[in-house]
């Protein structure tokens, strides 16, 4: 072992993205557009042109920032699709600096996520302020980013 090699952390080698042929993508699926993980809102395929390639026109919304991205890709080419995971956590606390304390179903806690901006953040605060309701938040994770994307009551 060379000096300076650090082997204290290992992973399964799963990539953040995987290649998929453009023609096999579907609406409401996920795709990487302009290096951002997006949910496909619209897609249309053009007819084969003079040079024989049908093109797929993709319109997607960034799953973290809600920004709209568009891309054109030959239907036979590969495009990256992010590995997206959803997990539900129980909301334990909201700190003064808008970080949330969350607990998963195994009892593990985490304090590294911020309360989302806008309407969703307000809704989570309102639901959490009610005494007799526990709030469940859904966390979406893809390409090294995580964000709270939904909340519901667990009565």
């Amino acid at each position: 072992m060379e000096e300076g090699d650090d082997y204290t952390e290992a992973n399964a080698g799963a990539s953040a993205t995987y290649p998929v042929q453009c023609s096999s993508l579907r609406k409401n699926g996920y795709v990487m557009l302009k290096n951002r993980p997006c949910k496909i809102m619209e897609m249309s395929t053009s007819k084969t042109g003079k040079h024989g390639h049908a093109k797929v026109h993709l319109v997607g919304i960034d799953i973290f920032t809600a920004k709209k991205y568009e891309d054109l890709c030959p239907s036979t080419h590969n495009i990256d699709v992010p590995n997206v995971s959803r997990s539900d956590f129980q909301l334990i606390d909201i700190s003064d600096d808008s970080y949330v304390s969350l607990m998963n179903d195994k009892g593990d806690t985490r304090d590294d996520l911020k309360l989302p901006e806008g309407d969703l953040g307000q809704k989570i605060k309102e639901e959490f302020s009610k005494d007799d309701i526990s709030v469940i938040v859904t966390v979406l994770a893809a390409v090294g980013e995580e964000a709270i994307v939904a909340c519901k009551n667990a009565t």
Side-chain angles (χ1 to χ4, degrees):
M1 228 164 79
E2 296 283 319
E3 198 175 317
D5 284 353
D6 183 18
Y7 294 107
T8 54
E9 190 177 323
N11 64 23
S15 174
T17 62
Y18 57 96
V20 166
Q21 192 168 345
C22 279
S23 58
S24 67
L25 292 171
R26 295 290 169 254
K27 193 174 169 182
N28 292 330
Y30 297 106
V31 68
M32 294 295 286
L33 297 177
K34 312 275 190 262
N35 284 331
R36 297 291 305 155
C38 297
K39 185 171 188 170
I40 301 169
M41 300 321 272
E42 293 173 40
M43 65 181 288
S44 56
T45 308
S46 67
K47 289 191 167 76
T48 53
K50 187 165 71 173
H51 298 288
H53 281 292
K55 295 240 189 309
V56 178
H57 179 245
L58 295 165
V59 177
I61 305 286
D62 189 310
I63 58 178
F64 297 121
T65 65
K67 245 180 100 174
K68 186 175 178 180
Y69 291 98
E70 294 189 49
D71 206 359
L72 210 56
C73 165
S75 64
T76 55
H77 287 203
N78 283 352
I79 192 164
D80 282 333
V81 172
N83 281 314
V84 178
S85 67
R86 298 176 78 94
S87 29
D88 287 344
F89 292 91
Q90 182 176 348
L91 181 60
I92 301 169
D93 194 21
I94 301 173
S95 69
D96 296 335
D97 57 357
S98 293
Y99 278 90
V100 292
S101 291
L102 305 173
M103 180 173 68
N104 67 8
D105 51 7
K106 294 183 188 125
D108 302 326
T109 59
R110 56 183 297 185
D111 306 301
D112 57 341
L113 286 176
K114 254 187 157 4
L115 196 66
E117 305 280 320
D119 295 340
L120 181 59
Q122 280 305 119
K123 183 180 173 196
I124 293 171
K125 275 185 183 170
E126 286 167 17
E127 295 294 330
F128 186 67
S129 65
K130 297 176 185 170
D131 286 335
D132 56 341
I133 296 174
S134 65
V135 178
I136 304 293
V137 295
T138 302
V139 175
L140 217 56
V143 293
E145 283 185 60
E146 289 183 299
I148 297 171
V149 293
C151 80
K152 62 182 182 232
N153 296 340
T155 47

